[in-house]
Amino acid sequence: MKKINLRKWLNYLGSIIALLSIVFVAHRITKYWAQIPDGTFTLKLFLIIILLAGAYGAANFILAAAWKILMVGLHQHISHRVATRIYGMTQLAKYVPGNIFQFAGRQLLTMSYGFSGKAIAKSTFLELLLLIITGAIYIFWMLPLLYPGFSVVYGLSLFIVTIVGLVLGLEWQGKGNLIKVVIKYLLFLFISGGVFLCVLYSIVDNWVVTPVLIFPLIGAYVISWLVGLVTPGSPAGVGVREFLLILFLKPLFTEVDIIMAVVLGRVVTIIGDCFFYLYSFSLRQDDYYE
């Protein structure tokens, strides 16, 4: 098969995976919508959800930028625009059962642009590895939830020391580009946890937000997200993340509020991913290389 035809078919196959993911996302939204009691939604809550979904969707640019850095580090000088387009168009496939189709779609679409398949696979491995490492560091933030006697200050101190150690280790290994990736992943996870915190705040009445709660709650969200990420067969961590959040937050809030927050939190992230998909789809495909 000629090289041009191969790229064409790879592009078609990757696009089909992306379209299938949209069908699954629509199904998920319908399912979650049905779980919310009648009369719960107000115009104010609806606007908050859209606003937070926009914030989460925008945060996906950080992930795309981090992946571009990984690709450039592997001598694949992909342009920022094409990296964002590919990442956004394939990211929705994480909702397809199997939890691998976003990577498969990205692999195929990126190869259709002529980039090395081996380098793309390596960038995916590095992405997963660094996401797991950076996500695991947030365990220090949620320790006060597991051990009430553990100070938030101690948790933050351990968090900072671990990051400094990681950065110094990468610098020592001459992996300066990975330091930028780690920082971007830490920022993305912080924003993701912050978005969930805002959803929770919009649901729970008479809740005074204090730093003593902010950091452990964001840490609990990130750790729940991480467990969902590494759970085989859990598309986008659906079910796993929600279960853990209910477990972690139960001592602090009523179960009804927690369930509402985790359901709406999932709706926010799905809508945010759709926003990012639509923006990515609108980007031109020229200028593959920097």
Side-chain angles (χ1 to χ4, degrees), residues 126-142:
L126 287 173
E127 179 186 46
L128 280 172
L129 178 64
L130 294 176
L131 275 173
I132 290 172
I133 291 173
T134 52
I137 298 175
Y138 276 91
I139 187 69
F140 296 122
W141 283 27
M142 71 164 291

Side-chain angles (χ1 to χ4, degrees), residues 262-276:
V262 296
V263 171
L264 290 180
R266 177 64 73 173
V267 171
V268 165
T269 56
I270 291 176
I271 295 176
D273 283 331
C274 289
F275 284 164
F276 185 56

Side-chain angles (χ1 to χ4, degrees), residues 237-253:
V238 173
V240 177
R241 184 196 308 172
E242 285 77 8
F243 170 77
L244 289 175
L245 279 171
I246 292 171
L247 193 67
F248 292 146
L249 305 187
K250 198 171 182 179
L252 301 175
F253 305 99

